[in-house]
Amino acid sequence: MAKVIDITLKLIDKCSSPLKGVQKGLTEHANQWTRAGRQIQRAGKNIERVGASLTKTLTVPIATAGAACIKVEAGMSTVQSICGASGEDLDKLSEKAKEMGAKTKFSATEATDAFKYMGMAGWNTQQMLDGIEGVMYLAGATGEDLASTSDIVTDAITAFGLSAQDTNMFVDVLAKTANSANTDVAKLGESFKYVAPIAGAMNYNVQDVSTALGIMANSGIKASSAGTSLRSWISRMAAPTKQVKTALDELGLSLTDANGDTKDFEILMRDTRAAFSELTDAEKAQYASMLAGKSGMSGLLAIVNASESDFDSLSQAIYDSDGACKQMY
């Protein structure tokens, strides 16, 4: 019996040896599959990261650009309805909007909004193409909203009797005035609403009117207050009442020169400043009220009371403003 048991154990041992080898092989294969599974898992995560990166760097910008293009085209449809531009002209405006979106801080869509105000002002395609860059530089240099800046520029240029070709000069004057006096483009635009039409009718230029508004702003008279004040003085001088005529005669002032031509507004301001320099404070208030009325006397007093250096330096800065807007931007 003992021999049988011994022989059986030996047979079991011989049979188990190959099985152990098989077990070992299977274990090694299982480990390899496990390692392969882990590698596949890591690769999957890498693919997910790459996909996310592609979405962020390619898909999102493409989608954003597509949305922007749609907005630009939609805006151009509005521009077309306002100014009647079509075909090649509309393509030029669209391309210009995209160009300005690339070279300024504003988007192409915002440039399109600026075109709308230009169209409402009656500008044609070429005028809009010529004027948009100056308007965008002005808004960028002064921090104003682009659409409202376009509205200010187009309205004031029309009121002063200027044309779209004067846009660059005009925005330079506004930028320099805002930078040299205690005011900003929005406040100047508000002033122009009231004074630009009468100033334009008198052929007074924007440089001299801006000097007057800048001087007033330095005395705290700004926006609509400055515009109505200056309008009151100019309109009363243009159509003088008996009281105004008396003040003009007593002060030795006249709107016209020896040849009967209307004086430049700068000359009128300097003549008035010289005449008031001989007066007492009480006399200044009296004559300011006679010349400009109650609504305009404070602005006139600000102009005549400004020091010679302040008046001259502001006037000189505004007249030397060529290229100021783009430089400030």
Side-chain angles (χ1 to χ4, degrees), residues 89-140:
D89 286 344
L90 199 63
D91 289 340
K92 288 180 179 179
L93 291 172
S94 181
E95 288 304 313
K96 189 66 175 181
K98 293 171 185 176
E99 175 193 338
M100 297 312 298
K103 68 190 295 186
T104 71
K105 61 180 282 187
F106 299 102
S107 68
T109 304
E110 289 173 308
T112 303
D113 290 337
F115 279 144
K116 294 176 187 177
Y117 287 100
M118 293 179 178
M120 286 188 285
W123 290 17
N124 61 36
T125 299
Q126 192 56 52
Q127 290 171 328
M128 293 162 73
L129 292 172
D130 292 339
I132 186 64
E133 191 161 341
V135 170
M136 293 185 78
Y137 282 141
L138 177 63

Side-chain angles (χ1 to χ4, degrees), residues 6 23 40 80 82 109 131 171 195 198 210 214 221 234 245 258:
D6 184 58
Q23 182 182 16
I40 291 171
Q80 181 182 26
I82 293 172
T109 304
V171 298
V195 72
I198 181 66
S210 295
I221 305 169
I234 294 175
K245 289 179 179 178

Side-chain angles (χ1 to χ4, degrees), residues 36 41 55 108 242 257 302:
Q41 192 175 38
T55 299
K242 182 178 180 179
D257 58 22

